């Protein structure tokens, strides 16, 4: 069947409350567009090539046009939702006929760490996992980690204006704080707002990203209600490999990076990787007057809101002997970004302050890996991370310090894999005193024991996990998960899983002037089923999930019981994250196609309203084409309408974006990448009152001697 119009929409953000300021509590915005629901319009034409007996006769030829339907080979006009629902199956059904001569897909023996916290072949997993490698990151030309993640199935992002401003990532519509985030195995989190500070993670230092969609608290403990994202820096190997790159772009963007990696010693026993990067931009006015009602929203400075970022990493490894290895990793990131703090007055001020936010991220970890026999191996790991956020001249400062200890055991025998781990996590929060709030300095700890069992044989895959966390504040919490996969045929595989998860309240939610010490952990129960198809370069997938959260913590302006007269945090809500994710990909000669479509219904179960700043539908569609030494790419990202508030009274319109990218080797050692984002110059917002960049361009050159 040929497919037509695809409604693509990419939701953006959950509310992420900025710890209080003065007498006004302002929820930071993060969401797109003040216009009607956008539609990605794809016209499909049936082409009749010469084909073998028994093969299909049509394939997709994509162009853009204002359609809301598609035409089947029989000439029947089909509604748009039917076209979209058929997307992954159409990829699977149509493209095998053309697969002859297609380059092979990635090896099925590619390994993944994130799903079960141990290295496993991707083909053995039952979990819903996506992988992004360095080659894909560099081809994308993206600036931020969140921009790369936004192209994956089931993921949406929000940002308060341009790069460098507050950014959130949402897996399957779940709150940003419901995603556990690790860099080289080091946990990062904020004990004030909750969740990772995505804007401070330097994409230039990241070599690989693994995304696990679905709860994983039975493996990782608190926070992993929506999923887990692991980011890995480059690991040195082989001969010395230096690199350097520079780039320029719109809004005065300038970027420079350099690094070196490799291995030394007998048999490459000592490996190393070092990288640094600098980036700055004059930016644009993220809160223009046209996007605001100054009498209600306050006056903001009309100046540009730029940013400046410095980051680097060091990763070392030493193979003591074939069975013993030591690893160490360090990452730092300093980000200074301008923003506009609203001034509430009857008339605009004569002079606006230069509002600047500073984000600092530091991670460090050491690990000892030992293989004691063909059956038994261990991992001992110590980690430390610090996250700081500070604003000036309107002073606010918060710092989170996390420390982790892990002793993990693996037992592999035949088709069986058993794991047992002891883990301790220590959290500390310090919020500096301001003219309105006292000093807040609190800490807590969690001790845990976890067990896991995996079995892979023939068409069967089984994964079981159980974990017990003992929190110094709340006592014990048990979680568990069970997942099963069955290969119906060599091409088709069905999966099913159930699991429970939880997140303890942040220290700010319990002990700030808005906090309530008696808050209870947020808990969830998830059920999902999936169907996957894979043959050569063709893949397709369908996942149906339902994740229900109880004791959801929200800020309630009418609640009492805290020091603030403007409201308190409270366990007042129940939420449901339900939906269907469709995905597909294929390679035809030198053209690679990929697509994903999410139908979801994130809602408040108490009033059946749509959760704020999340769309009901979002999608991506991309194609890469290798021709004459160039790799040319185009992608569409789109989202349906959302609501800016929990009451569903302020609508944020949908949007559609077109991004273009091209890369080519200039010489044996020099490569070029060029990118145009928002090629249609779409006027949209990811949060009410916050403008996003219009059409932007970037040009970069990188030296990697061969």
């Amino acid at each position: 069947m040929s497919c037509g119009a695809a409604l693509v929409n990419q939701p953006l953000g959950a509310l992420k409350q900025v710890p209080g300021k003065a007498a006004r509590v302002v929820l930071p915005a993060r969401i797109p567009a003040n216009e009607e629901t956008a539609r990605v319009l794809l016209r499909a034409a049936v082409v009749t090539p010469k084909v073998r007996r028994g093969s299909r006769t049509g394939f997709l030829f994509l162009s853009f046009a204002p359609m809301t339907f598609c035409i089947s080979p029989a000439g029947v006009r089909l509604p748009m939702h039917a076209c979209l629902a058929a997307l992954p199956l159409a990829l699977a059904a149509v493209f095998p006929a053309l697969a002859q001569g297609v380059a092979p897909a990635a090896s099925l023996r590619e390994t993944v760490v994130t799903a079960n916290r141990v290295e496993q072949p991707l083909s053995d997993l039952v979990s819903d996992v996506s992988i992004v490698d360095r080659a894909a990151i560099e081809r994308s030309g993206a600036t931020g980690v969140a921009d790369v993640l936004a192209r994956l199935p089931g993921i949406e992002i929000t940002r308060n204006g341009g790069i460098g401003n507050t950014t959130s990532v949402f897996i399957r519509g779940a709150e940003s704080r419901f995603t556990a985030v690790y860099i080289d195995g080091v946990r990062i989190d904020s004990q004030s707002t909750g969740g990772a500070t995505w804007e401070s993670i330097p994409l230039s230092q990241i070599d690989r990203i693994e995304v696990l969609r679905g709860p994983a608290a039975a493996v990782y403990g608190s926070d992993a209600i929506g999923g887990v994202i692991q980011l890995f820096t480059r690991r040195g190997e082989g001969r010395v490999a230096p690199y350097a790159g520079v780039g320029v772009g719109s809004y005065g963007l300038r970027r420079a990076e350099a690094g070196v990696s490799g291995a030394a010693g007998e048999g490459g026993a000592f490996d190393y990787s070092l990288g640094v990067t600098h980036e700055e931009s004059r930016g644009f006015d993220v809160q223009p007057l046209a996007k605001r009602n100054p009498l209600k929203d306050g006056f903001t400075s009309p100046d540009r809101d730029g940013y400046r970022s410095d980051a680097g990493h060091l990763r070392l490894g030493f193979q003591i002997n074939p069975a013993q290895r030591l690893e160490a990793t360090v990452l730092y990131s300093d980000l200074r970004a301008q923003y506009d703090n609203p001034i509430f007055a009857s008339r605009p001020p004569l002079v606006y302050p230069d509002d600047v936010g500073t984000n600092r991220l530091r991670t460090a970890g050491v690990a000892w890996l030992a293989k004691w026999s063909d059956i038994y191996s261990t991992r001992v790991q110590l980690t430390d991370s610090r996250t700081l956020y500070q604003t000036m001249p309107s002073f606010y400062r918060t710092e989170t310090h996390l420390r982790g200890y892990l002793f993990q055991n693996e037992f592999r025998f035949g088709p069986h894999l058993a794991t047992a781990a002891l883990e301790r996590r220590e959290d500390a929060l310090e919020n500096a005193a301001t003219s309105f709030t006292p000093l807040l300095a609190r800490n807590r700890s969690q001790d845990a024991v976890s067990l896991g069992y995996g079995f892979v044989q023939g068409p069967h895959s089984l994964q079981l996990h159980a974990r017990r966390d003992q929190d110094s504040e709340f006592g014990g919490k048990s979680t568990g998960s069970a997942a099963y996969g069955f290969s119906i045929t060599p091409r088709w595989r069905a999966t099913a899983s159930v699991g429970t998860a939880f997140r303890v309240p942040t220290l700010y939610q319990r002990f700030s002037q808005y906090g309530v010490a008696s808050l209870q952990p947020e808990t969830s129960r998830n059920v999902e089923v999936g169907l996957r198809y894979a043959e050569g370069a063709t893949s397709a997938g369908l996942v149906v999930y339902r994740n229900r959260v109880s004791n959801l913590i929200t800020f309630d302006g009418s609640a009492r019981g805290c020091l603030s007269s403007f409201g308190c945090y409270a366990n007042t809500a129940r939420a449901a994250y339900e939906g269907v994710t469709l995905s597909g990909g294929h390679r035809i000669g030198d053209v690679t196609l990929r697509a994903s479509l999410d139908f979801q219904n994130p809602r408040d179960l108490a009033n059946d309203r749509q959760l704020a700043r999340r769309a009901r539908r979002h999608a991506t569609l991309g194609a890469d084409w290798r021709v004459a030494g160039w790799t040319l790419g185009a992608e569409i990202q789109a989202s349906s309408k959302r609501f800016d508030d929990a009451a569903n009274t302020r609508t944020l319109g949908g949007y559609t974006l077109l991004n273009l990218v091209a890369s080519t080797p200039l010489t044996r050692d020099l490569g070029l990448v060029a990118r145009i984002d928002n090629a249609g110059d779409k006027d949209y917002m990811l949060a009410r009152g916050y403008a996003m960049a219009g059409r932007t361009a970037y040009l970069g050159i990188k030296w990697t001697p061969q």
Side-chain angles (χ1 to χ4, degrees):
M1 171 179 112
S2 60
C3 206
L7 170 63
V8 192
N9 13 72
Q10 180 175 330
L12 296 119
L15 295 173
K16 178 180 179 184
Q17 186 137 7
V18 165
K21 276 204 175 183
R24 290 184 180 271
V25 180
V26 180
L27 292 176
R30 354 166 108 55
I31 310 218
N34 59 347
E35 65 168 276
E36 297 181 359
T37 303
R39 301 195 175 196
V40 176
L41 308 166
L42 305 180
R43 176 182 296 159
V46 177
V47 181
T48 310
K50 294 181 180 179
V51 294
R52 301 178 286 110
R53 180 186 297 270
S55 65
R56 272 72 172 181
T57 59
F59 65 93
L60 295 179
F61 176 83
L62 302 179
S63 63
F64 301 103
M67 294 176 61
T68 56
F69 60 89
C70 64
I71 306 299
S72 75
V76 178
R77 179 179 295 194
L78 298 176
M80 182 176 59
H81 66 80
C83 306
L84 297 175
L87 177 61
L89 296 180
L91 286 170
V94 174
F95 290 133
L98 305 174
Q100 191 173 21
V102 169
S107 170
L108 291 178
R109 301 309 293 175
E110 182 174 13
T111 58
V112 177
V113 176
T114 305
N116 298 304
R117 222 172 188 176
V118 297
E119 190 172 285
Q120 288 182 276
L122 180 61
S123 58
D124 289 352
L125 297 181
V126 184
S127 310
D128 186 11
V129 175
S130 291
I131 300 171
V132 182
D133 60 18
R134 186 64 209 175
I137 293 173
E138 292 186 350
R139 284 197 307 270
S140 73
T143 302
V145 171
D147 300 278
V148 174
L149 294 172
R151 300 175 183 133
L152 300 179
I155 294 185
E156 317 160 85
I157 71 168
T158 62
R159 181 179 287 129
N160 287 11
I163 296 288
N165 288 291
T166 304
T167 303
S168 296
V169 173
F170 307 94
I171 298 180
R172 294 179 175 176
E175 321 301 316
S176 188
R177 67 181 183 271
F178 288 168
T179 298
V181 182
Y182 293 80
I183 300 177
D184 287 331
V186 182
R187 181 79 169 91
I188 61 173
D189 187 36
S190 168
Q191 278 298 306
S192 55
T193 58
T197 54
W198 288 100
E199 61 274 17
S200 67
I201 301 176
L203 179 62
S204 61
Q205 305 304 307
I206 302 304
D207 188 63
R208 177 183 172 92
I209 304 173
E210 295 181 3
V211 178
L212 169 65
R213 288 173 287 269
V219 178
Y220 291 94
S222 177
D223 307 345
I225 290 179
V228 179
I229 297 178
Q230 288 240 37
L231 306 107
F232 301 91
T233 58
R234 188 191 308 266
R235 174 176 169 175
E237 58 183 1
R239 63 182 180 85
V240 178
Y243 68 90
V246 295
V248 295
S250 302
Y251 303 119
L253 173 64
R254 292 179 292 174
R255 180 192 297 174
E257 61 175 331
V260 61
S261 64
E266 184 177 353
F270 174 70
D271 57 84
Y272 57 91
S273 176
L274 170 68
V276 293
T277 185
H278 170 80
E279 186 175 310
E280 60 182 73
S281 170
R282 294 195 306 271
F284 57 93
D285 184 10
V286 299
Q287 293 195 72
L289 184 62
K291 303 292 184 184
R292 311 174 53 80
N293 181 340
L295 297 181
K296 293 183 178 180
D297 303 325
F299 292 93
T300 56
S301 173
D303 67 341
R304 290 175 174 243
D305 300 303
Y307 68 92
R308 179 189 180 98
S309 172
D310 294 287
H313 86 277
L314 174 65
R315 182 170 176 176
L316 304 173
F318 180 62
Q319 197 73 36
I320 304 172
N321 58 48
Q324 308 279 328
R325 176 177 170 82
L326 296 176
E327 294 182 342
T329 179
V330 176
L331 179 140
Y332 79 90
S333 173
D334 291 331
L335 172 66
R336 184 180 183 272
Q338 294 174 298
Y339 73 101
D340 292 329
N341 194 38
I343 298 174
F344 294 89
S346 59
R347 64 183 62 183
L350 296 177
V351 179
Y352 288 93
D354 184 19
D355 297 302
V356 176
T358 299
N359 275 287
R360 290 178 184 160
L361 174 65
R362 303 287 188 271
T363 69
V366 294
W368 170 35
L369 293 75
K371 186 175 182 179
W372 303 102
S373 69
D374 291 339
I375 295 176
Y376 178 53
S377 59
T378 60
R379 180 184 186 92
V380 178
Q381 186 173 26
L382 307 178
T383 63
D384 187 277
S385 72
R386 293 178 182 268
T387 303
L388 178 143
Y389 176 66
Q390 177 176 298
T391 62
M392 292 292 287
S394 178
F395 179 71
Y396 175 77
R397 184 180 184 277
T398 180
E399 182 174 6
T400 296
H401 182 198
L402 305 183
R403 185 166 290 163
Y405 311 85
L406 175 67
F407 174 45
Q408 184 163 290
N409 302 264
E410 299 177 32
F411 304 87
R412 297 177 183 266
F413 42 97
H416 309 278
L417 168 62
T419 60
L422 299 175
E423 186 171 14
R424 178 177 173 84
R425 170 177 162 177
E426 298 171 351
D427 301 350
L429 171 67
E430 181 177 302
N431 272 28
T434 70
S435 56
F436 301 97
T437 60
L439 170 70
L440 171 61
R442 307 288 294 208
N443 59 72
R444 66 156 176 247
S445 63
Q446 295 173 7
D447 297 304
V449 57
S450 64
L451 300 173
Y453 172 74
F455 173 81
V456 179
Q457 191 170 54
H460 305 283
S461 298
L462 176 67
Q463 192 68 55
L464 305 174
H465 286 286
R467 179 174 169 124
R468 176 72 174 179
D469 286 86
Q470 191 71 26
D471 190 282
S472 59
E473 300 289 332
F474 297 100
K477 189 68 179 176
S478 298
T479 51
S481 65
Y484 174 71
F486 179 75
S487 297
I488 305 169
T489 72
R491 300 175 184 177
W492 290 94
R493 192 181 194 209
T495 60
S497 66
V498 296
T500 59
F502 75 103
R503 177 181 171 90
V504 297
T506 66
L507 292 168
Y508 186 88
Q509 289 172 332
R510 296 189 64 227
F511 300 113
S512 71
Q513 70 271 33
Y514 308 104
V516 176
S518 60
L519 285 177
Q520 295 300 304
E522 298 164 292
T523 60
S524 79
R525 294 180 177 273
N526 182 77
V527 178
E528 63 184 83
V529 294
L531 183 63
R532 302 172 192 168
Y533 174 91
E535 182 186 19
T538 302
S539 64
L542 179 150
V543 178
V544 182
Y545 59 89
R546 185 187 68 185
N547 193 357
R548 298 207 168 194
V549 177
S550 301
N551 290 330
L552 188 69
I553 297 174
T554 60
F555 185 83
D556 187 348
S558 63
R560 296 294 178 263
C562 61
L563 298 178
S564 171
S565 59
F566 295 95
C568 312
Y569 288 105
N571 293 111
T572 58
R574 295 180 300 118
Y577 309 111
E578 301 173 340
V580 178
T581 297
L582 301 167
S583 60
H586 183 68
R587 185 182 300 163
I588 310 173
D590 293 328
V591 179
T592 301
L593 303 175
R594 64 187 182 279
S596 69
L597 174 63
D598 279 86
F599 296 94
Q600 60 181 18
N601 186 20
R603 68 187 192 279
D604 185 331
L605 293 177
N607 52 32
D608 202 34
R609 292 191 178 118
Q610 187 173 328
L611 291 174
R613 299 175 178 173
R614 271 147 285 193
R616 297 287 296 270
R617 295 170 299 278
H618 61 96
T620 62
L621 174 66
D624 297 315
W625 181 30
R626 296 177 182 267
V627 55
W630 286 81
T631 299
L632 307 177
E635 65 181 7
I636 293 173
Q637 297 174 296
S639 174
S640 66
K641 70 175 183 180
R642 287 133 295 116
F643 295 100
D644 188 64
D645 60 336
N648 290 185
T649 59
R650 295 195 298 266
T651 301
L652 291 164
Y655 66 93
T656 300
L657 304 178
L658 172 64
N659 305 318
L660 305 172
V661 64
S663 61
T664 186
L666 298 176
T667 68
R668 183 168 178 265
D669 299 333
L670 280 179
L672 176 144
V673 61
R675 182 174 181 86
I676 299 177
D677 285 322
N678 191 5
D681 199 24
K682 183 68 173 179
D683 181 11
Y684 72 109
M685 294 185 296
L686 297 185
R688 182 176 178 271
Y690 287 84
M692 294 299 293
R695 183 188 299 112
T696 61
Y698 173 80
L699 180 69
I701 297 177
K702 191 169 185 179
W703 172 68
T704 52
Q706 303 300 312

